[in-house]
Amino acid sequence: MKEYKFPCPVAKKCGGCQLTNMPYEQQLKYKQTTEIKLLGSFGHVDEIIGIESPFHYRNKVQAAFGKTKGGMIISGVYQSSTHNIVKVDSCLIEDEKADRIIVTIRELLKSFKLTVYNDRTGTGFLRHVLIKRAFGTGEIMVVLVTGTAEFKSKNNFCKALLKEHPEITTIVQNINNNFTSLVLGDRQIVLYGDGYIVDELLGYKFRISPKAFYQVNYKGTEILYGKALEFADISENDVVIDAYSGVGTIGIIASGKAKSVISVELNKDAVKDAKINADLNKLKNIRFFCADATEFLLAAAEENEKIDVVMMDPPRAGSTVAFMKSVCKLSPKKVVYISCNPETLARDLLYFSRNGYKVKKIQPVDMFPHTKHIETVVLLSK
Ligand code: SAH
């Protein structure tokens, strides 16, 4: 395994990674200890599954564009809680190809005499570049986020970019002239290709548009979802709920084994993508609901629906007591809890364990090497 002798030179200013000064094996030990401290009282914590190559795993890479005081165009990340851009040409955790494309774009700006956006005055052209790469299929999407809709010599610009990087499959211009910290604006113009990419994960296809949420570590996601499915051990007569379902990934993968799947997600764009993903995989036994997971589960509990397995993947804040109360009322045989925050997970496991469920398995997965974040899959059963 390739080891870096020194921590990342911009780690402090960037703030994205917190553990770069630890060799990878030590990072895993540190995360295992954290998990045992937080979750050990519920049962045995299986050994954290590390990633074979913990560098350059991020399939989604984003760079802000700006100028130095001397007038040189730079790209990189915003120094935490400031407007200053820290120049980054290659990052330890970002996809290397994406980083090279960003450097090419920076060089092309000069030859095409295109300006960069100034977020103090709201003038100028290129604001951010967002790149998403589907590791399963190799497709690459480049999103040029611009302050103005006008894009001088855009056809030649795309041609020049494609000549350097023929592996790019689609290029999108996204216009964002708002004073906002959000990267993407509402207007989009497809300059080349389909305007989205398709990835393949555990045998299923997923369409990824510029705004769609998609897990950032491909290999890690395969491991995580694989464990979640193994724990759920779904059989053909099972009705499964996939709560906090995002673009439908977990429910879609589960639908291959289940009688039917009910997915619930609050974000309407994600639900739209999830429906497209189900069609892409020709699935008929999965339904999607755009709703607050707690309200949806309350209604399901009132109706006394027959649910065999609940898979839940809430955001960092965890779930709600009302949601968990409804789960307990629905009384599925198994609950598979996928968590990106062991602290809220511990709080929620306490509720389940006091209300008829027992923690059977705790499996940490290192989805985000070099950062302090830990993903965990837990199996609870009656
Ligand atoms: N399971 C998906 C997404 C997990 S991220 C995946 O693996 O890709 C958590 C998701 O919960 C996000 O998509 C977010 O929009 C959704 N969410 C947040 N609060 C919610 C709520 N109250 N009800 C339903 N979904 C919610």
PDB file of all heavy atoms in Angstrom, residues 309-323:
ATOM      1  N   VAL A 309     -38.953  -6.133   7.472  1.00  0.00           N
ATOM      2  CA  VAL A 309     -37.615  -5.593   7.712  1.00  0.00           C
ATOM      3  C   VAL A 309     -37.645  -4.075   7.529  1.00  0.00           C
ATOM      4  O   VAL A 309     -38.233  -3.580   6.566  1.00  0.00           O
ATOM      5  CB  VAL A 309     -36.586  -6.191   6.713  1.00  0.00           C
ATOM      6  CG1 VAL A 309     -35.188  -5.629   6.967  1.00  0.00           C
ATOM      7  CG2 VAL A 309     -36.559  -7.717   6.785  1.00  0.00           C
ATOM      8  N   VAL A 310     -37.031  -3.351   8.455  1.00  0.00           N
ATOM      9  CA  VAL A 310     -36.857  -1.905   8.267  1.00  0.00           C
ATOM     10  C   VAL A 310     -35.368  -1.640   8.092  1.00  0.00           C
ATOM     11  O   VAL A 310     -34.552  -2.060   8.921  1.00  0.00           O
ATOM     12  CB  VAL A 310     -37.406  -1.090   9.464  1.00  0.00           C
ATOM     13  CG1 VAL A 310     -36.974   0.374   9.369  1.00  0.00           C
ATOM     14  CG2 VAL A 310     -38.928  -1.179   9.520  1.00  0.00           C
ATOM     15  N   MET A 311     -35.033  -0.973   6.983  1.00  0.00           N
ATOM     16  CA  MET A 311     -33.651  -0.521   6.795  1.00  0.00           C
ATOM     17  C   MET A 311     -33.689   0.994   6.916  1.00  0.00           C
ATOM     18  O   MET A 311     -34.502   1.645   6.259  1.00  0.00           O
ATOM     19  CB  MET A 311     -33.127  -0.960   5.425  1.00  0.00           C
ATOM     20  CG  MET A 311     -33.187  -2.476   5.285  1.00  0.00           C
ATOM     21  SD  MET A 311     -32.498  -3.112   3.758  1.00  0.00           S
ATOM     22  CE  MET A 311     -30.754  -3.103   4.112  1.00  0.00           C
ATOM     23  N   MET A 312     -32.854   1.547   7.760  1.00  0.00           N
ATOM     24  CA  MET A 312     -32.898   2.999   7.970  1.00  0.00           C
ATOM     25  C   MET A 312     -31.492   3.595   7.909  1.00  0.00           C
ATOM     26  O   MET A 312     -30.545   3.011   8.405  1.00  0.00           O
ATOM     27  CB  MET A 312     -33.576   3.333   9.300  1.00  0.00           C
ATOM     28  CG  MET A 312     -32.973   2.642  10.515  1.00  0.00           C
ATOM     29  SD  MET A 312     -33.981   2.823  11.999  1.00  0.00           S
ATOM     30  CE  MET A 312     -33.621   4.528  12.450  1.00  0.00           C
ATOM     31  N   ASP A 313     -31.405   4.742   7.253  1.00  0.00           N
ATOM     32  CA  ASP A 313     -30.099   5.379   7.024  1.00  0.00           C
ATOM     33  C   ASP A 313     -30.244   6.888   7.220  1.00  0.00           C
ATOM     34  O   ASP A 313     -30.151   7.662   6.269  1.00  0.00           O
ATOM     35  CB  ASP A 313     -29.662   5.043   5.577  1.00  0.00           C
ATOM     36  CG  ASP A 313     -28.276   5.570   5.243  1.00  0.00           C
ATOM     37  OD1 ASP A 313     -27.572   6.049   6.147  1.00  0.00           O
ATOM     38  OD2 ASP A 313     -27.906   5.491   4.057  1.00  0.00           O
ATOM     39  N   PRO A 314     -30.520   7.306   8.473  1.00  0.00           N
ATOM     40  CA  PRO A 314     -30.803   8.732   8.702  1.00  0.00           C
ATOM     41  C   PRO A 314     -29.564   9.614   8.572  1.00  0.00           C
ATOM     42  O   PRO A 314     -28.441   9.106   8.591  1.00  0.00           O
ATOM     43  CB  PRO A 314     -31.324   8.746  10.142  1.00  0.00           C
ATOM     44  CG  PRO A 314     -30.689   7.580  10.795  1.00  0.00           C
ATOM     45  CD  PRO A 314     -30.534   6.532   9.724  1.00  0.00           C
ATOM     46  N   PRO A 315     -29.775  10.940   8.448  1.00  0.00           N
ATOM     47  CA  PRO A 315     -28.629  11.858   8.434  1.00  0.00           C
ATOM     48  C   PRO A 315     -27.911  11.900   9.793  1.00  0.00           C
ATOM     49  O   PRO A 315     -28.319  11.214  10.726  1.00  0.00           O
ATOM     50  CB  PRO A 315     -29.254  13.208   8.084  1.00  0.00           C
ATOM     51  CG  PRO A 315     -30.700  13.079   8.338  1.00  0.00           C
ATOM     52  CD  PRO A 315     -31.047  11.628   8.266  1.00  0.00           C
ATOM     53  N   ARG A 316     -26.874  12.728   9.890  1.00  0.00           N
ATOM     54  CA  ARG A 316     -26.016  12.735  11.087  1.00  0.00           C
ATOM     55  C   ARG A 316     -26.785  12.921  12.405  1.00  0.00           C
ATOM     56  O   ARG A 316     -26.393  12.413  13.440  1.00  0.00           O
ATOM     57  CB  ARG A 316     -24.947  13.833  10.972  1.00  0.00           C
ATOM     58  CG  ARG A 316     -23.920  13.563   9.890  1.00  0.00           C
ATOM     59  CD  ARG A 316     -22.799  14.591   9.921  1.00  0.00           C
ATOM     60  NE  ARG A 316     -22.102  14.621  11.200  1.00  0.00           N
ATOM     61  CZ  ARG A 316     -21.240  13.694  11.613  1.00  0.00           C
ATOM     62  NH1 ARG A 316     -20.966  12.668  10.848  1.00  0.00           N
ATOM     63  NH2 ARG A 316     -20.654  13.799  12.772  1.00  0.00           N
ATOM     64  N   ALA A 317     -27.885  13.658  12.326  1.00  0.00           N
ATOM     65  CA  ALA A 317     -28.657  13.920  13.547  1.00  0.00           C
ATOM     66  C   ALA A 317     -29.363  12.673  14.062  1.00  0.00           C
ATOM     67  O   ALA A 317     -29.920  12.677  15.165  1.00  0.00           O
ATOM     68  CB  ALA A 317     -29.665  15.029  13.285  1.00  0.00           C
ATOM     69  N   GLY A 318     -29.363  11.606  13.280  1.00  0.00           N
ATOM     70  CA  GLY A 318     -30.013  10.373  13.718  1.00  0.00           C
ATOM     71  C   GLY A 318     -31.510  10.407  13.476  1.00  0.00           C
ATOM     72  O   GLY A 318     -32.021  11.268  12.752  1.00  0.00           O
ATOM     73  N   SER A 319     -32.226   9.473  14.097  1.00  0.00           N
ATOM     74  CA  SER A 319     -33.663   9.376  13.880  1.00  0.00           C
ATOM     75  C   SER A 319     -34.415  10.113  14.981  1.00  0.00           C
ATOM     76  O   SER A 319     -33.806  10.848  15.761  1.00  0.00           O
ATOM     77  CB  SER A 319     -34.063   7.902  13.826  1.00  0.00           C
ATOM     78  OG  SER A 319     -35.362   7.782  13.326  1.00  0.00           O
ATOM     79  N   THR A 320     -35.745   9.911  15.033  1.00  0.00           N
ATOM     80  CA  THR A 320     -36.535  10.560  16.087  1.00  0.00           C
ATOM     81  C   THR A 320     -37.203   9.482  16.938  1.00  0.00           C
ATOM     82  O   THR A 320     -37.404   8.354  16.485  1.00  0.00           O
ATOM     83  CB  THR A 320     -37.653  11.440  15.484  1.00  0.00           C
ATOM     84  OG1 THR A 320     -38.557  10.577  14.778  1.00  0.00           O
ATOM     85  CG2 THR A 320     -37.094  12.496  14.541  1.00  0.00           C
ATOM     86  N   VAL A 321     -37.559   9.875  18.161  1.00  0.00           N
ATOM     87  CA  VAL A 321     -38.236   8.933  19.051  1.00  0.00           C
ATOM     88  C   VAL A 321     -39.553   8.473  18.409  1.00  0.00           C
ATOM     89  O   VAL A 321     -39.883   7.282  18.424  1.00  0.00           O
ATOM     90  CB  VAL A 321     -38.477   9.575  20.439  1.00  0.00           C
ATOM     91  CG1 VAL A 321     -39.429   8.733  21.272  1.00  0.00           C
ATOM     92  CG2 VAL A 321     -37.148   9.747  21.161  1.00  0.00           C
ATOM     93  N   ALA A 322     -40.265   9.430  17.784  1.00  0.00           N
ATOM     94  CA  ALA A 322     -41.554   9.067  17.164  1.00  0.00           C
ATOM     95  C   ALA A 322     -41.358   8.033  16.048  1.00  0.00           C
ATOM     96  O   ALA A 322     -42.149   7.097  15.918  1.00  0.00           O
ATOM     97  CB  ALA A 322     -42.243  10.322  16.618  1.00  0.00           C
ATOM     98  N   PHE A 323     -40.287   8.199  15.258  1.00  0.00           N
ATOM     99  CA  PHE A 323     -40.012   7.237  14.190  1.00  0.00           C
ATOM    100  C   PHE A 323     -39.765   5.861  14.803  1.00  0.00           C
ATOM    101  O   PHE A 323     -40.354   4.857  14.398  1.00  0.00           O
ATOM    102  CB  PHE A 323     -38.781   7.695  13.383  1.00  0.00           C
ATOM    103  CG  PHE A 323     -38.363   6.744  12.276  1.00  0.00           C
ATOM    104  CD1 PHE A 323     -38.787   6.954  10.970  1.00  0.00           C
ATOM    105  CD2 PHE A 323     -37.556   5.640  12.545  1.00  0.00           C
ATOM    106  CE1 PHE A 323     -38.405   6.084   9.948  1.00  0.00           C
ATOM    107  CE2 PHE A 323     -37.170   4.766  11.529  1.00  0.00           C
ATOM    108  CZ  PHE A 323     -37.602   4.999  10.229  1.00  0.00           C
TER     109      PHE A 323
END
